[in-house]
Structure formats: structure tokens, C-alpha cells
Amino acid sequence: TQKAENLLKESLNYFPEFLPTLQVMAKLSLEKKNFHFAEQSYKKMISLNPFDPIIYQGLAQIYQSRKEMKKAEEMKNLLPLLQ
């Protein structure tokens, strides 16, 4: 997985706004509990496609893991509007 992660990061150097790569990196970072990088990736994704519910689900997971329940709830409350 480290090799794949390195390839994804290199890809982002060339195509920093390529949404599929950002999605994979965010999910991978979330799984590795690298919440800071995952949050950065999701926030960048919002600037590219603010109507994707996967982004807000990911952010809610991050905030729950950090015990930031108010932020997590805010993200969850957006989900019905996006589906």
C-alpha cells in the first residue's frame, strides 16, 4: 500500500484537482487515521464538487474520531440535502 500511496501522491503533484485521486487519498488517509491529511483532501474536494455526499460522510467520520461532535453533526445534517 505504501507504493500505491506514493504513486497517488505523485499523481497529485501533476494533477492536484483530479477528484478520483483525491477521493482515494482521502479514504486511504482516513483508514490510516491520518485525519489531518484526510480532512485537507476532503476540503479540497468540496471546492471541486460541493455536492458529493461522500465528502461530508468522510468529514463526519473524521470529526467523530476527533470527538468534535458538533462538527460531525453539521456534516451529517448536510447529507439529506445532497441526496
Side-chain angles (χ1 to χ4, degrees), residues 32-49:
K32 293 175 76 175
K33 299 190 184 323
N34 183 350
F35 300 125
H36 178 73
F37 189 79
E39 182 180 21
Q40 286 179 326
S41 297
Y42 282 122
K43 286 184 174 182
K44 183 160 192 160
M45 290 166 57
I46 288 173
S47 71
L48 300 170
N49 181 10

Side-chain angles (χ1 to χ4, degrees), residues 39-65:
E39 182 180 21
Q40 286 179 326
S41 297
Y42 282 122
K43 286 184 174 182
K44 183 160 192 160
M45 290 166 57
I46 288 173
S47 71
L48 300 170
N49 181 10
F51 303 107
D52 185 350
I54 291 171
I55 298 168
Y56 302 95
Q57 289 170 339
L59 285 170
Q61 282 184 295
I62 291 167
Y63 297 140
Q64 277 185 300
S65 296

Side-chain angles (χ1 to χ4, degrees), residues 56-79:
Y56 302 95
Q57 289 170 339
L59 285 170
Q61 282 184 295
I62 291 167
Y63 297 140
Q64 277 185 300
S65 296
R66 290 182 182 164
K67 307 290 188 233
E68 297 177 43
M69 302 318 248
K70 185 176 180 180
K71 285 184 177 181
E73 197 61 36
E74 288 173 4
M75 295 299 110
K76 289 180 184 179
N77 288 338
L78 292 172
L79 293 173

Side-chain angles (χ1 to χ4, degrees), residues 19-40:
L19 202 52
T21 303
L22 286 168
Q23 289 172 330
V24 173
M25 283 301 298
K27 185 175 180 178
L28 183 61
S29 297
L30 189 58
E31 289 173 3
K32 293 175 76 175
K33 299 190 184 323
N34 183 350
F35 300 125
H36 178 73
F37 189 79
E39 182 180 21
Q40 286 179 326

